[in-house]
Amino acid sequence: MKLYIKNMVCDRCKMAVESVLQKQGLHYQKVALGEVELLEEELSSVQYQEVKQALENLGFELLEDKRKMAVAQIKAAIVELAHYSKEPLKVNLSDYLSQKLSVDYPYLSTVFSTQEHNTIEHYYIQQKIEKAKELLTYGELTLSEIAFGLNYSSVAHLSAQFKKETGLTPSQYKQNLQRKTLDQI
């Protein structure tokens, strides 16, 4: 049985969900961003409500609507790609998402735009900019290394998108240091 969970954006989120499942006596095969694969075939209504409430207490949401599930899967795939992937994207984003989620991109795009009032591409850019903010905050990489690591064609391209999203240049940002948590994007 699969459960789809909104607001899972990091490894700590996965650990929190694993903890909830263990406390509920449930067994899982896999816990990934936005998704849990349980070994149980189904949950009783009491178990389901208990899991749902425990997750809500931690700021997560158990999704039941197919469109919301699709959006959660898209977001999880993009967060994973922008924040955790070490490999550059070798295909365009639409092909990547279609392959990863086994769903046609036009459907994904329509559902995402309708539910989020944002495009998938813009959401991806927002995630990359948040990753750039994180890396700028640490101060360990140059802007050129950050641009390369986030698959920008140039520092100028990263800087232009950064300014468009934040209203600040990367240098100005470093002086102010203001970041959002991933689930607020």
mmCIF file with all atom_site columns, all heavy atoms in Angstrom, residues 51-70:
data_model
loop_
_atom_site.group_PDB
_atom_site.id
_atom_site.type_symbol
_atom_site.label_atom_id
_atom_site.label_alt_id
_atom_site.label_comp_id
_atom_site.label_asym_id
_atom_site.label_entity_id
_atom_site.label_seq_id
_atom_site.pdbx_PDB_ins_code
_atom_site.Cartn_x
_atom_site.Cartn_y
_atom_site.Cartn_z
_atom_site.occupancy
_atom_site.B_iso_or_equiv
_atom_site.pdbx_formal_charge
_atom_site.auth_seq_id
_atom_site.auth_comp_id
_atom_site.auth_asym_id
_atom_site.auth_atom_id
_atom_site.pdbx_PDB_model_num
ATOM 1   N N   . VAL A 1 51 ? -2.599  7.461  11.895 1.00 0.00 ? 51 VAL A N   1
ATOM 2   C CA  . VAL A 1 51 ? -1.435  7.867  11.107 1.00 0.00 ? 51 VAL A CA  1
ATOM 3   C C   . VAL A 1 51 ? -1.630  9.285  10.586 1.00 0.00 ? 51 VAL A C   1
ATOM 4   O O   . VAL A 1 51 ? -0.731  10.127 10.683 1.00 0.00 ? 51 VAL A O   1
ATOM 5   C CB  . VAL A 1 51 ? -1.170  6.886  9.940  1.00 0.00 ? 51 VAL A CB  1
ATOM 6   C CG1 . VAL A 1 51 ? -0.153  7.435  8.967  1.00 0.00 ? 51 VAL A CG1 1
ATOM 7   C CG2 . VAL A 1 51 ? -0.730  5.533  10.469 1.00 0.00 ? 51 VAL A CG2 1
ATOM 8   N N   . LYS A 1 52 ? -2.816  9.547  10.065 1.00 0.00 ? 52 LYS A N   1
ATOM 9   C CA  . LYS A 1 52 ? -3.124  10.872 9.527  1.00 0.00 ? 52 LYS A CA  1
ATOM 10  C C   . LYS A 1 52 ? -2.935  11.949 10.608 1.00 0.00 ? 52 LYS A C   1
ATOM 11  O O   . LYS A 1 52 ? -2.290  12.973 10.363 1.00 0.00 ? 52 LYS A O   1
ATOM 12  C CB  . LYS A 1 52 ? -4.565  10.890 8.998  1.00 0.00 ? 52 LYS A CB  1
ATOM 13  C CG  . LYS A 1 52 ? -4.966  12.191 8.361  1.00 0.00 ? 52 LYS A CG  1
ATOM 14  C CD  . LYS A 1 52 ? -6.378  12.102 7.799  1.00 0.00 ? 52 LYS A CD  1
ATOM 15  C CE  . LYS A 1 52 ? -6.762  13.434 7.174  1.00 0.00 ? 52 LYS A CE  1
ATOM 16  N NZ  . LYS A 1 52 ? -8.085  13.418 6.591  1.00 0.00 ? 52 LYS A NZ  1
ATOM 17  N N   . GLN A 1 53 ? -3.467  11.714 11.793 1.00 0.00 ? 53 GLN A N   1
ATOM 18  C CA  . GLN A 1 53 ? -3.367  12.689 12.883 1.00 0.00 ? 53 GLN A CA  1
ATOM 19  C C   . GLN A 1 53 ? -1.922  12.866 13.343 1.00 0.00 ? 53 GLN A C   1
ATOM 20  O O   . GLN A 1 53 ? -1.465  13.984 13.559 1.00 0.00 ? 53 GLN A O   1
ATOM 21  C CB  . GLN A 1 53 ? -4.250  12.270 14.067 1.00 0.00 ? 53 GLN A CB  1
ATOM 22  C CG  . GLN A 1 53 ? -4.308  13.310 15.161 1.00 0.00 ? 53 GLN A CG  1
ATOM 23  C CD  . GLN A 1 53 ? -4.870  14.636 14.680 1.00 0.00 ? 53 GLN A CD  1
ATOM 24  O OE1 . GLN A 1 53 ? -5.938  14.694 14.098 1.00 0.00 ? 53 GLN A OE1 1
ATOM 25  N NE2 . GLN A 1 53 ? -4.138  15.713 14.914 1.00 0.00 ? 53 GLN A NE2 1
ATOM 26  N N   . ALA A 1 54 ? -1.192  11.767 13.468 1.00 0.00 ? 54 ALA A N   1
ATOM 27  C CA  . ALA A 1 54 ? 0.210   11.840 13.901 1.00 0.00 ? 54 ALA A CA  1
ATOM 28  C C   . ALA A 1 54 ? 1.049   12.625 12.897 1.00 0.00 ? 54 ALA A C   1
ATOM 29  O O   . ALA A 1 54 ? 1.905   13.425 13.276 1.00 0.00 ? 54 ALA A O   1
ATOM 30  C CB  . ALA A 1 54 ? 0.770   10.432 14.097 1.00 0.00 ? 54 ALA A CB  1
ATOM 31  N N   . LEU A 1 55 ? 0.776   12.416 11.611 1.00 0.00 ? 55 LEU A N   1
ATOM 32  C CA  . LEU A 1 55 ? 1.504   13.153 10.573 1.00 0.00 ? 55 LEU A CA  1
ATOM 33  C C   . LEU A 1 55 ? 1.134   14.634 10.613 1.00 0.00 ? 55 LEU A C   1
ATOM 34  O O   . LEU A 1 55 ? 2.002   15.511 10.488 1.00 0.00 ? 55 LEU A O   1
ATOM 35  C CB  . LEU A 1 55 ? 1.213   12.560 9.192  1.00 0.00 ? 55 LEU A CB  1
ATOM 36  C CG  . LEU A 1 55 ? 1.818   11.178 8.932  1.00 0.00 ? 55 LEU A CG  1
ATOM 37  C CD1 . LEU A 1 55 ? 1.293   10.594 7.627  1.00 0.00 ? 55 LEU A CD1 1
ATOM 38  C CD2 . LEU A 1 55 ? 3.335   11.240 8.919  1.00 0.00 ? 55 LEU A CD2 1
ATOM 39  N N   . GLU A 1 56 ? -0.152  14.933 10.775 1.00 0.00 ? 56 GLU A N   1
ATOM 40  C CA  . GLU A 1 56 ? -0.594  16.329 10.846 1.00 0.00 ? 56 GLU A CA  1
ATOM 41  C C   . GLU A 1 56 ? 0.033   17.047 12.035 1.00 0.00 ? 56 GLU A C   1
ATOM 42  O O   . GLU A 1 56 ? 0.375   18.225 11.940 1.00 0.00 ? 56 GLU A O   1
ATOM 43  C CB  . GLU A 1 56 ? -2.118  16.408 10.912 1.00 0.00 ? 56 GLU A CB  1
ATOM 44  C CG  . GLU A 1 56 ? -2.775  16.113 9.584  1.00 0.00 ? 56 GLU A CG  1
ATOM 45  C CD  . GLU A 1 56 ? -4.300  16.072 9.638  1.00 0.00 ? 56 GLU A CD  1
ATOM 46  O OE1 . GLU A 1 56 ? -4.886  16.324 10.718 1.00 0.00 ? 56 GLU A OE1 1
ATOM 47  O OE2 . GLU A 1 56 ? -4.901  15.776 8.593  1.00 0.00 ? 56 GLU A OE2 1
ATOM 48  N N   . ASN A 1 57 ? 0.215   16.342 13.141 1.00 0.00 ? 57 ASN A N   1
ATOM 49  C CA  . ASN A 1 57 ? 0.846   16.929 14.324 1.00 0.00 ? 57 ASN A CA  1
ATOM 50  C C   . ASN A 1 57 ? 2.284   17.364 14.042 1.00 0.00 ? 57 ASN A C   1
ATOM 51  O O   . ASN A 1 57 ? 2.816   18.233 14.724 1.00 0.00 ? 57 ASN A O   1
ATOM 52  C CB  . ASN A 1 57 ? 0.814   15.969 15.510 1.00 0.00 ? 57 ASN A CB  1
ATOM 53  C CG  . ASN A 1 57 ? -0.585  15.760 16.057 1.00 0.00 ? 57 ASN A CG  1
ATOM 54  O OD1 . ASN A 1 57 ? -1.499  16.537 15.796 1.00 0.00 ? 57 ASN A OD1 1
ATOM 55  N ND2 . ASN A 1 57 ? -0.758  14.681 16.810 1.00 0.00 ? 57 ASN A ND2 1
ATOM 56  N N   . LEU A 1 58 ? 2.902   16.741 13.051 1.00 0.00 ? 58 LEU A N   1
ATOM 57  C CA  . LEU A 1 58 ? 4.280   17.083 12.677 1.00 0.00 ? 58 LEU A CA  1
ATOM 58  C C   . LEU A 1 58 ? 4.348   18.024 11.471 1.00 0.00 ? 58 LEU A C   1
ATOM 59  O O   . LEU A 1 58 ? 5.430   18.319 10.976 1.00 0.00 ? 58 LEU A O   1
ATOM 60  C CB  . LEU A 1 58 ? 5.060   15.797 12.365 1.00 0.00 ? 58 LEU A CB  1
ATOM 61  C CG  . LEU A 1 58 ? 5.271   14.859 13.546 1.00 0.00 ? 58 LEU A CG  1
ATOM 62  C CD1 . LEU A 1 58 ? 5.936   13.571 13.083 1.00 0.00 ? 58 LEU A CD1 1
ATOM 63  C CD2 . LEU A 1 58 ? 6.100   15.537 14.631 1.00 0.00 ? 58 LEU A CD2 1
ATOM 64  N N   . GLY A 1 59 ? 3.186   18.474 10.987 1.00 0.00 ? 59 GLY A N   1
ATOM 65  C CA  . GLY A 1 59 ? 3.167   19.415 9.863  1.00 0.00 ? 59 GLY A CA  1
ATOM 66  C C   . GLY A 1 59 ? 3.058   18.773 8.495  1.00 0.00 ? 59 GLY A C   1
ATOM 67  O O   . GLY A 1 59 ? 3.230   19.430 7.478  1.00 0.00 ? 59 GLY A O   1
ATOM 68  N N   . PHE A 1 60 ? 2.770   17.471 8.460  1.00 0.00 ? 60 PHE A N   1
ATOM 69  C CA  . PHE A 1 60 ? 2.589   16.768 7.192  1.00 0.00 ? 60 PHE A CA  1
ATOM 70  C C   . PHE A 1 60 ? 1.104   16.613 6.909  1.00 0.00 ? 60 PHE A C   1
ATOM 71  O O   . PHE A 1 60 ? 0.266   16.806 7.785  1.00 0.00 ? 60 PHE A O   1
ATOM 72  C CB  . PHE A 1 60 ? 3.244   15.381 7.239  1.00 0.00 ? 60 PHE A CB  1
ATOM 73  C CG  . PHE A 1 60 ? 4.713   15.407 7.527  1.00 0.00 ? 60 PHE A CG  1
ATOM 74  C CD1 . PHE A 1 60 ? 5.211   14.896 8.714  1.00 0.00 ? 60 PHE A CD1 1
ATOM 75  C CD2 . PHE A 1 60 ? 5.604   15.958 6.623  1.00 0.00 ? 60 PHE A CD2 1
ATOM 76  C CE1 . PHE A 1 60 ? 6.564   14.918 9.001  1.00 0.00 ? 60 PHE A CE1 1
ATOM 77  C CE2 . PHE A 1 60 ? 6.963   15.997 6.890  1.00 0.00 ? 60 PHE A CE2 1
ATOM 78  C CZ  . PHE A 1 60 ? 7.439   15.478 8.088  1.00 0.00 ? 60 PHE A CZ  1
ATOM 79  N N   . GLU A 1 61 ? 0.796   16.246 5.673  1.00 0.00 ? 61 GLU A N   1
ATOM 80  C CA  . GLU A 1 61 ? -0.600  16.011 5.308  1.00 0.00 ? 61 GLU A CA  1
ATOM 81  C C   . GLU A 1 61 ? -0.680  14.727 4.493  1.00 0.00 ? 61 GLU A C   1
ATOM 82  O O   . GLU A 1 61 ? 0.029   14.571 3.499  1.00 0.00 ? 61 GLU A O   1
ATOM 83  C CB  . GLU A 1 61 ? -1.128  17.188 4.476  1.00 0.00 ? 61 GLU A CB  1
ATOM 84  C CG  . GLU A 1 61 ? -2.564  17.039 4.049  1.00 0.00 ? 61 GLU A CG  1
ATOM 85  C CD  . GLU A 1 61 ? -3.030  18.187 3.152  1.00 0.00 ? 61 GLU A CD  1
ATOM 86  O OE1 . GLU A 1 61 ? -2.378  19.235 3.127  1.00 0.00 ? 61 GLU A OE1 1
ATOM 87  O OE2 . GLU A 1 61 ? -4.048  17.991 2.471  1.00 0.00 ? 61 GLU A OE2 1
ATOM 88  N N   . LEU A 1 62 ? -1.518  13.821 4.927  1.00 0.00 ? 62 LEU A N   1
ATOM 89  C CA  . LEU A 1 62 ? -1.761  12.584 4.199  1.00 0.00 ? 62 LEU A CA  1
ATOM 90  C C   . LEU A 1 62 ? -2.717  12.904 3.060  1.00 0.00 ? 62 LEU A C   1
ATOM 91  O O   . LEU A 1 62 ? -3.808  13.405 3.286  1.00 0.00 ? 62 LEU A O   1
ATOM 92  C CB  . LEU A 1 62 ? -2.363  11.545 5.149  1.00 0.00 ? 62 LEU A CB  1
ATOM 93  C CG  . LEU A 1 62 ? -2.312  10.084 4.757  1.00 0.00 ? 62 LEU A CG  1
ATOM 94  C CD1 . LEU A 1 62 ? -0.910  9.649  4.374  1.00 0.00 ? 62 LEU A CD1 1
ATOM 95  C CD2 . LEU A 1 62 ? -2.813  9.226  5.901  1.00 0.00 ? 62 LEU A CD2 1
ATOM 96  N N   . LEU A 1 63 ? -2.281  12.647 1.846  1.00 0.00 ? 63 LEU A N   1
ATOM 97  C CA  . LEU A 1 63 ? -3.066  13.045 0.676  1.00 0.00 ? 63 LEU A CA  1
ATOM 98  C C   . LEU A 1 63 ? -3.998  11.936 0.224  1.00 0.00 ? 63 LEU A C   1
ATOM 99  O O   . LEU A 1 63 ? -3.619  10.768 0.176  1.00 0.00 ? 63 LEU A O   1
ATOM 100 C CB  . LEU A 1 63 ? -2.128  13.430 -0.466 1.00 0.00 ? 63 LEU A CB  1
ATOM 101 C CG  . LEU A 1 63 ? -1.207  14.609 -0.170 1.00 0.00 ? 63 LEU A CG  1
ATOM 102 C CD1 . LEU A 1 63 ? -0.213  14.808 -1.296 1.00 0.00 ? 63 LEU A CD1 1
ATOM 103 C CD2 . LEU A 1 63 ? -2.017  15.872 0.057  1.00 0.00 ? 63 LEU A CD2 1
ATOM 104 N N   . GLU A 1 64 ? -5.199  12.343 -0.151 1.00 0.00 ? 64 GLU A N   1
ATOM 105 C CA  . GLU A 1 64 ? -6.196  11.388 -0.623 1.00 0.00 ? 64 GLU A CA  1
ATOM 106 C C   . GLU A 1 64 ? -6.647  11.690 -2.046 1.00 0.00 ? 64 GLU A C   1
ATOM 107 O O   . GLU A 1 64 ? -7.061  10.811 -2.771 1.00 0.00 ? 64 GLU A O   1
ATOM 108 C CB  . GLU A 1 64 ? -7.399  11.394 0.330  1.00 0.00 ? 64 GLU A CB  1
ATOM 109 C CG  . GLU A 1 64 ? -7.013  10.975 1.737  1.00 0.00 ? 64 GLU A CG  1
ATOM 110 C CD  . GLU A 1 64 ? -8.085  11.265 2.775  1.00 0.00 ? 64 GLU A CD  1
ATOM 111 O OE1 . GLU A 1 64 ? -9.191  11.691 2.403  1.00 0.00 ? 64 GLU A OE1 1
ATOM 112 O OE2 . GLU A 1 64 ? -7.795  11.064 3.968  1.00 0.00 ? 64 GLU A OE2 1
ATOM 113 N N   . ASP A 1 65 ? -6.558  12.937 -2.439 1.00 0.00 ? 65 ASP A N   1
ATOM 114 C CA  . ASP A 1 65 ? -6.975  13.382 -3.763 1.00 0.00 ? 65 ASP A CA  1
ATOM 115 C C   . ASP A 1 65 ? -5.862  13.087 -4.781 1.00 0.00 ? 65 ASP A C   1
ATOM 116 O O   . ASP A 1 65 ? -4.706  13.416 -4.548 1.00 0.00 ? 65 ASP A O   1
ATOM 117 C CB  . ASP A 1 65 ? -7.266  14.890 -3.695 1.00 0.00 ? 65 ASP A CB  1
ATOM 118 C CG  . ASP A 1 65 ? -7.679  15.461 -5.023 1.00 0.00 ? 65 ASP A CG  1
ATOM 119 O OD1 . ASP A 1 65 ? -6.775  15.786 -5.831 1.00 0.00 ? 65 ASP A OD1 1
ATOM 120 O OD2 . ASP A 1 65 ? -8.893  15.594 -5.254 1.00 0.00 ? 65 ASP A OD2 1
ATOM 121 N N   . LYS A 1 66 ? -6.211  12.467 -5.907 1.00 0.00 ? 66 LYS A N   1
ATOM 122 C CA  . LYS A 1 66 ? -5.212  12.075 -6.909 1.00 0.00 ? 66 LYS A CA  1
ATOM 123 C C   . LYS A 1 66 ? -4.423  13.261 -7.450 1.00 0.00 ? 66 LYS A C   1
ATOM 124 O O   . LYS A 1 66 ? -3.229  13.157 -7.699 1.00 0.00 ? 66 LYS A O   1
ATOM 125 C CB  . LYS A 1 66 ? -5.875  11.329 -8.069 1.00 0.00 ? 66 LYS A CB  1
ATOM 126 C CG  . LYS A 1 66 ? -6.232  9.917  -7.740 1.00 0.00 ? 66 LYS A CG  1
ATOM 127 C CD  . LYS A 1 66 ? -6.655  9.167  -8.981 1.00 0.00 ? 66 LYS A CD  1
ATOM 128 C CE  . LYS A 1 66 ? -6.936  7.743  -8.602 1.00 0.00 ? 66 LYS A CE  1
ATOM 129 N NZ  . LYS A 1 66 ? -6.339  6.801  -9.505 1.00 0.00 ? 66 LYS A NZ  1
ATOM 130 N N   . ARG A 1 67 ? -5.087  14.384 -7.624 1.00 0.00 ? 67 ARG A N   1
ATOM 131 C CA  . ARG A 1 67 ? -4.382  15.574 -8.129 1.00 0.00 ? 67 ARG A CA  1
ATOM 132 C C   . ARG A 1 67 ? -3.373  16.068 -7.101 1.00 0.00 ? 67 ARG A C   1
ATOM 133 O O   . ARG A 1 67 ? -2.256  16.419 -7.451 1.00 0.00 ? 67 ARG A O   1
ATOM 134 C CB  . ARG A 1 67 ? -5.365  16.667 -8.506 1.00 0.00 ? 67 ARG A CB  1
ATOM 135 C CG  . ARG A 1 67 ? -6.223  16.290 -9.716 1.00 0.00 ? 67 ARG A CG  1
ATOM 136 C CD  . ARG A 1 67 ? -7.295  17.282 -9.903 1.00 0.00 ? 67 ARG A CD  1
ATOM 137 N NE  . ARG A 1 67 ? -8.059  17.311 -8.642 1.00 0.00 ? 67 ARG A NE  1
ATOM 138 C CZ  . ARG A 1 67 ? -9.347  17.498 -8.548 1.00 0.00 ? 67 ARG A CZ  1
ATOM 139 N NH1 . ARG A 1 67 ? -10.044 17.714 -9.602 1.00 0.00 ? 67 ARG A NH1 1
ATOM 140 N NH2 . ARG A 1 67 ? -9.959  17.496 -7.384 1.00 0.00 ? 67 ARG A NH2 1
ATOM 141 N N   . LYS A 1 68 ? -3.776  16.085 -5.840 1.00 0.00 ? 68 LYS A N   1
ATOM 142 C CA  . LYS A 1 68 ? -2.844  16.509 -4.788 1.00 0.00 ? 68 LYS A CA  1
ATOM 143 C C   . LYS A 1 68 ? -1.683  15.532 -4.672 1.00 0.00 ? 68 LYS A C   1
ATOM 144 O O   . LYS A 1 68 ? -0.553  15.924 -4.410 1.00 0.00 ? 68 LYS A O   1
ATOM 145 C CB  . LYS A 1 68 ? -3.570  16.633 -3.450 1.00 0.00 ? 68 LYS A CB  1
ATOM 146 C CG  . LYS A 1 68 ? -4.474  17.842 -3.371 1.00 0.00 ? 68 LYS A CG  1
ATOM 147 C CD  . LYS A 1 68 ? -5.100  17.959 -2.002 1.00 0.00 ? 68 LYS A CD  1
ATOM 148 C CE  . LYS A 1 68 ? -6.001  19.190 -1.931 1.00 0.00 ? 68 LYS A CE  1
ATOM 149 N NZ  . LYS A 1 68 ? -6.621  19.335 -0.602 1.00 0.00 ? 68 LYS A NZ  1
ATOM 150 N N   . MET A 1 69 ? -1.971  14.242 -4.885 1.00 0.00 ? 69 MET A N   1
ATOM 151 C CA  . MET A 1 69 ? -0.911  13.239 -4.860 1.00 0.00 ? 69 MET A CA  1
ATOM 152 C C   . MET A 1 69 ? 0.087   13.503 -5.986 1.00 0.00 ? 69 MET A C   1
ATOM 153 O O   . MET A 1 69 ? 1.299   13.423 -5.774 1.00 0.00 ? 69 MET A O   1
ATOM 154 C CB  . MET A 1 69 ? -1.492  11.834 -5.019 1.00 0.00 ? 69 MET A CB  1
ATOM 155 C CG  . MET A 1 69 ? -2.221  11.324 -3.825 1.00 0.00 ? 69 MET A CG  1
ATOM 156 S SD  . MET A 1 69 ? -2.814  9.639  -4.184 1.00 0.00 ? 69 MET A SD  1
ATOM 157 C CE  . MET A 1 69 ? -4.176  9.537  -3.052 1.00 0.00 ? 69 MET A CE  1
ATOM 158 N N   . ALA A 1 70 ? -0.428  13.809 -7.165 1.00 0.00 ? 70 ALA A N   1
ATOM 159 C CA  . ALA A 1 70 ? 0.450   14.090 -8.309 1.00 0.00 ? 70 ALA A CA  1
ATOM 160 C C   . ALA A 1 70 ? 1.319   15.306 -8.028 1.00 0.00 ? 70 ALA A C   1
ATOM 161 O O   . ALA A 1 70 ? 2.524   15.295 -8.300 1.00 0.00 ? 70 ALA A O   1
ATOM 162 C CB  . ALA A 1 70 ? -0.374  14.289 -9.575 1.00 0.00 ? 70 ALA A CB  1
#
